[in-house]
Amino acid sequence: MISLGIDPGTIRTGWGVVRRDGSRIVRIDSGVIHLDEHTAIEDRLVVLHDRLNEILLSTGPDEAAVENLFFAKNASSALKLGHARGVILLCLRRHGLPVASYQPTEVKRALIGAGRAEKGQIQRVLEIILKTGRALEADEADALAVAVCHANGAGLRRPGNPLSHSHER
Amino acid sequence: MISLGIDPGTIRTGWGVVRRDGSRIVRIDSGVIHLDEHTAIEDRLVVLHDRLNEILLSTGPDEAAVENLFFAKNASSALKLGHARGVILLCLRRHGLPVASYQPTEVKRALIGAGRAEKGQIQRVLEIILKTGRALEADEADALAVAVCHANGAGLRRPGNPLSHSHER
């Protein structure tokens, strides 16, 4: 089973693809889609969609998980983030992938046992677990954390969601 | 010049297409894309994208304008709205349309000379201006208001934007 994790953003979108081999999680590929903040949002969304499409075609995941965010700094930044997230969900669904959604605190709890992490902690833990052999970018690490969390069946353990992915309504 | 106006939403997205004939604005078509709020957001976004695509193909607008919203009730509703808005911007840009963006207050000011309107006021004014011969749905009226506002060159009169559409950054 190959899982894609995504940490959405209108300037940087992290992505990470992992495969579960028994109890081991192996990193297949990961990176950050960088968008030019000086271009119009609609042009950035086109680039985001095209890049994600290429990643889906080259890595062939079976399922996807996207970081959610209920508590943005303010409505304006939530709206912006929503633009990227909406385009990502559209692209994933077009590829027929089941899409799960996780709060940042859920991801951190699944990975390090606590809902909050110090700056750089998640990155370093993932560099060790996934034996990346190089430093991960922050958004790349966040995306890999979502992928690992999902690959480890976090969605299946949710109360009220014993057997299914947590689709958003 | 044919202008498409959109009032985005994850349950109802209003749309309206108008043509400017000299000083007269003529309604070409308008309606509401209804999405099933009981289905997952990613499935709704696929339907929204497909329906908007059909509308673009059948009405052939030259330019588009989308209602913006900086002051949502809260971050969660802004994020949801952003999902729909992002997919809409992507679809419009894929069709090569220049995309302008208006605040609800700008649209109302352009239409009735005041930034606030009583409930139903915009609908009734548009029914008269556009001679619809029928009552407009609220979201349909909001979308037509954006289209009329844009067709009347509201974007061109903006301070600091004397000649260009107001692209978002």
Side-chain angles (χ1 to χ4, degrees):
Chain A
M1 190 69 119
I2 297 178
S3 307
L4 165 67
I6 297 183
D7 178 27
T10 51
I11 299 172
R12 283 181 304 276
T13 288
W15 62 277
V17 182
V18 301
R19 190 181 63 239
R20 197 190 162 88
D21 276 352
S23 65
R24 217 169 119 250
I25 305 276
V26 181
R27 187 185 73 102
I28 294 176
D29 202 356
S30 58
V32 177
I33 303 171
H34 291 271
L35 302 171
D36 180 356
E37 61 182 309
H38 300 295
T39 62
I41 181 72
E42 58 268 25
D43 292 321
R44 275 186 267 165
L45 295 174
V46 168
V47 175
L48 175 59
H49 191 271
D50 287 350
R51 279 290 295 123
L52 181 57
N53 203 42
E54 288 165 15
I55 290 161
L56 288 166
L57 291 173
S58 68
T59 61
D62 305 296
E63 53 181 21
V66 185
E67 194 166 277
N68 204 349
L69 186 68
F70 282 128
F71 306 104
K73 267 184 299 182
N74 54 52
S76 169
S77 61
L79 183 73
K80 274 188 197 162
L81 179 68
H83 283 53
R85 209 169 180 280
V87 164
I88 289 164
L89 293 180
L90 175 78
C91 189
L92 296 174
R93 209 65 194 104
R94 284 262 188 246
H95 279 260
L97 300 185
V99 182
S101 177
Y102 295 94
Q103 292 294 316
T105 50
E106 282 183 282
V107 174
K108 286 176 186 130
R109 197 169 293 124
L111 207 72
I112 59 167
R116 282 168 171 271
E118 284 167 34
K119 196 171 159 61
Q121 220 173 3
I122 293 287
Q123 275 154 279
R124 291 192 303 274
V125 168
L126 283 166
E127 284 157 21
I128 295 163
I129 297 176
L130 301 175
K131 299 170 183 159
T132 57
R134 65 164 173 89
L136 293 168
E137 283 189 61
D139 301 281
E140 182 184 19
D142 286 342
L144 278 168
V146 175
V148 169
C149 167
H150 189 59
N152 277 331
L156 304 178
R157 292 192 305 268
R158 273 201 183 120
N161 275 327
L163 294 170
S164 68
H165 295 294
S166 63
H167 286 295
E168 287 170 65
R169 305 279 162 194
Chain B
M1 191 69 120
I2 296 179
S3 307
L4 165 67
I6 297 184
D7 177 27
T10 51
I11 300 173
R12 284 181 303 277
T13 289
W15 62 277
V17 182
V18 301
R19 191 180 64 240
R20 199 189 159 89
D21 276 351
S23 65
R24 218 167 119 248
I25 304 276
V26 180
R27 185 184 74 102
I28 294 177
D29 202 357
S30 59
V32 177
I33 302 172
H34 291 271
L35 302 171
D36 181 355
E37 63 183 305
H38 301 294
T39 61
I41 181 74
E42 57 268 25
D43 292 322
R44 274 186 268 165
L45 294 174
V46 167
V47 175
L48 175 58
H49 191 271
D50 288 349
R51 279 288 294 126
L52 181 56
N53 204 41
E54 288 166 13
I55 290 161
L56 288 166
L57 292 173
S58 68
T59 61
D62 306 295
E63 54 180 21
V66 184
E67 196 167 275
N68 204 350
L69 187 67
F70 282 126
F71 306 104
K73 269 184 297 184
N74 53 54
S76 168
S77 63
L79 184 72
K80 276 188 196 161
L81 179 68
H83 284 53
R85 209 168 178 282
V87 164
I88 289 164
L89 293 180
L90 175 78
C91 190
L92 295 174
R93 209 65 195 102
R94 284 263 189 245
H95 279 260
L97 299 185
V99 181
S101 177
Y102 295 94
Q103 292 294 315
T105 50
E106 281 184 282
V107 174
K108 285 177 186 128
R109 198 169 292 124
L111 208 72
I112 60 166
R116 284 171 171 268
E118 284 166 34
K119 196 171 160 61
Q121 218 173 4
I122 294 287
Q123 275 155 279
R124 290 193 302 274
V125 167
L126 283 166
E127 285 157 19
I128 295 163
I129 296 175
L130 301 174
K131 297 171 186 159
T132 58
R134 66 166 173 87
L136 295 168
E137 283 189 62
D139 301 280
E140 183 184 18
D142 286 343
L144 278 167
V146 175
V148 168
C149 166
H150 189 58
N152 276 332
L156 304 178
R157 292 191 306 268
R158 274 198 183 123
N161 275 326
L163 293 170
S164 68
H165 295 295
S166 63
H167 286 294
E168 287 169 64
R169 305 279 161 194

